[in-house]
Amino acid sequence: MIPALKVVAPGLHTTVQDLGRRGFQDVGVPVAGALDRIGLQLANALVSNALDAPALEILVQGPTFEVACESVRIALVGGSGGIEVSNEEARTVAVGRSVRLARGAIVKIRPLGDVACAYLALEGGVPVEPVLGSASTYARGTLGGFHGRPLAPGDVLSAMIETVGE
């Protein structure tokens, strides 16, 4: 694992989610997981991850990150704003496309538009310790995800990147 993205601004509510944890509702643990299972799976497919790999669920207002590794491939599914990338030259990457970014690039998720939820997948997934078989964040119970909570400024997300190449 290597540090991949540093959180500059977390957005309104950005959490790590996968397809959820099942089988624990009888003891008060909800399924949690992605609000839009298909969106999560599509984002993962765009960066060649397993469809159930943990990704970032973005609600209403998008986060801003700085790329902290040599390079990382990301993809956004949901909304209409796309990914604004600032490095040598500013550009916008459309929703539904993957892009490889180099160290130091600033990545801002633009306004989502008419939807409330989007998914940002990192190649290799977001490696967090599973809790009860899932990486999903259940913020009310401080369970799973990134320390059981939404992302905060200064957090650093790792990625499982073995080799870097196009």
Side-chain angles (χ1 to χ4, degrees):
M1 287 190 298
I2 62 167
L5 296 178
K6 180 178 179 185
V7 179
V8 175
L12 182 63
H13 190 84
T14 303
T15 57
V16 176
Q17 299 293 344
D18 61 12
L19 296 178
R21 62 184 57 81
R22 302 197 186 294
F24 301 98
Q25 294 90 331
D26 61 333
V27 292
V29 179
V31 173
L35 291 172
D36 175 3
R37 296 169 60 87
I38 294 171
L40 173 84
Q41 292 173 328
L42 287 172
N44 275 318
L46 287 169
V47 293
S48 301
N49 288 346
L51 297 181
D52 61 349
L56 298 179
E57 182 175 79
I58 299 162
L59 300 182
V60 183
Q61 177 184 344
T64 302
F65 301 100
E66 179 181 350
V67 177
C69 59
E70 193 64 34
S71 85
V72 65
R73 189 165 57 134
I74 64 172
L76 179 70
V77 169
S80 58
I83 303 169
E84 185 178 303
V85 179
S86 303
N87 44 15
E88 300 85 44
E89 60 181 63
R91 61 186 166 133
T92 300
V93 178
V95 171
R97 302 193 64 124
S98 70
V99 62
R100 183 166 295 284
L101 302 170
R103 182 185 310 277
I106 301 297
V107 178
K108 180 177 182 175
I109 307 304
R110 297 177 49 91
L112 301 182
D114 294 339
V115 301
C117 177
Y119 293 90
L120 184 70
L122 284 70
E123 68 178 323
V126 180
V128 295
E129 193 66 37
V131 175
L132 301 175
S134 172
S136 287
T137 305
Y138 171 47
R140 186 182 297 166
T142 60
L143 190 68
F146 190 85
H147 305 296
R149 62 171 171 76
L151 298 182
D155 287 344
V156 177
L157 299 168
S158 295
M160 299 285 290
I161 304 170
E162 292 181 22
T163 59
V164 178
E166 288 292 328

